[in-house]
Amino acid sequence: MLNKKFKKTFVLIFSLIMLMSKGYAASIPEPVATIGQFSILKENCKLDGYTCDYNLYQKNVFQSTLVDAWDKDLNLEHATANFLHVSYGYTFNIHHDIFISKQGDVDTYDDLMAVDPKTGCIARFVDGTVPSGTVPSIVFERVFENKRINKFELKPDDFEEISSGYMMLLNYFSEIEFDESGDLTYNFKIKSGEFKEVKIQHPCMPKQ
């Protein structure tokens, strides 16, 4: 009897050693956020560099990998009755936004400016580089619908030409948010170096 217990203990210890020799920490999956039957779990953390995977599960069934081998935490931006919103990215670099609906739908964006958590309306920045000649604009749509509601074109004379849309966001826009009325407000830096406050009223209501 004692011999059997010793064998079981030895097998368990040997398994843990083999697991750690592959660079993975023997850690319990860590829940990040949940909506309905769906959860984001932080797991498969490696010892070298402390990178982890962030996976989507429906109950206990794996659905997809949302972020692979990321060395920081996910930021939980919004947790509403209809969707989860998480983001990740390095400081002063492009940030990636992930939305998960209560039905398990997944939407991703790399050009997000603001989110209205009450309606699911989002503001996205579209720069003037692709396609050629496109006017830099703020585009409004709702998550999971993939349909443009409105488009607000910026005046090219207001800013210098910048190759990266994200750098334009970083340098020219601040205090970007939807207010309680659903209006988008932000401060915009013009060529003179001054900031002007801009309000776009009811941008998430389709034009008649």
Side-chain angles (χ1 to χ4, degrees):
M1 185 69 179
L2 183 61
N3 191 37
K4 287 183 179 180
K5 287 184 178 180
F6 175 78
K7 285 183 178 180
K8 288 181 180 179
T9 303
F10 177 79
V11 170
L12 177 60
I13 294 173
F14 181 76
S15 298
L16 290 174
I17 292 173
M18 290 300 295
L19 182 63
M20 296 182 72
S21 69
K22 294 180 181 179
Y24 290 90
S27 59
I28 299 173
E30 179 184 337
V32 176
T34 299
I35 181 167
Q37 297 182 348
F38 296 89
S39 299
I40 303 172
L41 296 184
K42 176 182 178 180
E43 56 187 359
N44 302 332
C45 296
K46 294 183 180 179
L47 292 176
D48 51 344
Y50 304 99
T51 60
C52 301
D53 297 337
Y54 290 86
N55 297 324
L56 180 66
Y57 283 81
Q58 182 177 13
K59 294 185 177 179
N60 295 321
V61 180
F62 172 83
Q63 299 295 305
S64 64
T65 296
L66 301 173
V67 185
D68 180 36
W70 178 240
D71 61 357
K72 295 183 181 296
D73 290 331
L74 289 189
N75 304 310
L76 179 58
E77 305 288 353
H78 299 100
T80 75
N82 296 313
F83 65 83
L84 290 176
H85 171 205
V86 296
S87 71
Y88 68 101
Y90 294 111
T91 305
F92 303 120
N93 208 327
I94 190 168
H95 276 62
H96 311 280
D97 293 87
I98 303 172
F99 292 83
I100 301 165
S101 74
K102 59 185 178 182
Q103 291 80 26
D105 302 313
V106 178
D107 249 357
T108 60
Y109 299 92
D110 293 334
D111 52 8
L112 204 64
M113 297 179 70
V115 179
D116 186 347
K118 294 191 299 184
T119 64
C121 182
I122 60 174
R124 297 173 50 219
F125 179 77
V126 179
D127 66 21
T129 58
V130 181
S132 179
T134 302
V135 177
S137 307
I138 302 173
V139 172
F140 298 91
E141 58 188 62
R142 282 190 176 84
V143 289
F144 312 117
E145 293 185 6
N146 195 26
K147 184 174 66 175
R148 180 178 296 180
I149 301 172
N150 278 314
K151 177 181 176 181
F152 180 79
E153 293 187 351
L154 303 170
K155 296 179 181 179
D157 292 340
D158 282 345
F159 47 83
E160 310 268 348
E161 183 178 354
I162 296 179
S163 58
S164 166
Y166 183 77
M167 290 306 296
M168 185 177 285
L169 271 177
L170 198 63
N171 285 300
Y172 288 90
F173 293 88
S174 65
E175 307 296 329
I176 313 167
E177 62 181 1
F178 284 96
D179 63 19
E180 290 297 319
S181 301
D183 299 337
L184 182 74
T185 61
Y186 61 89
N187 291 326
F188 184 75
K189 185 178 180 181
I190 58 179
K191 278 187 177 181
S192 65
E194 298 177 346
F195 278 91
K196 64 177 182 180
E197 186 176 346
V198 180
K199 174 180 280 193
I200 304 175
Q201 292 184 316
H202 308 300
C204 300
M205 294 179 61
K207 294 181 179 179
Q208 298 298 323

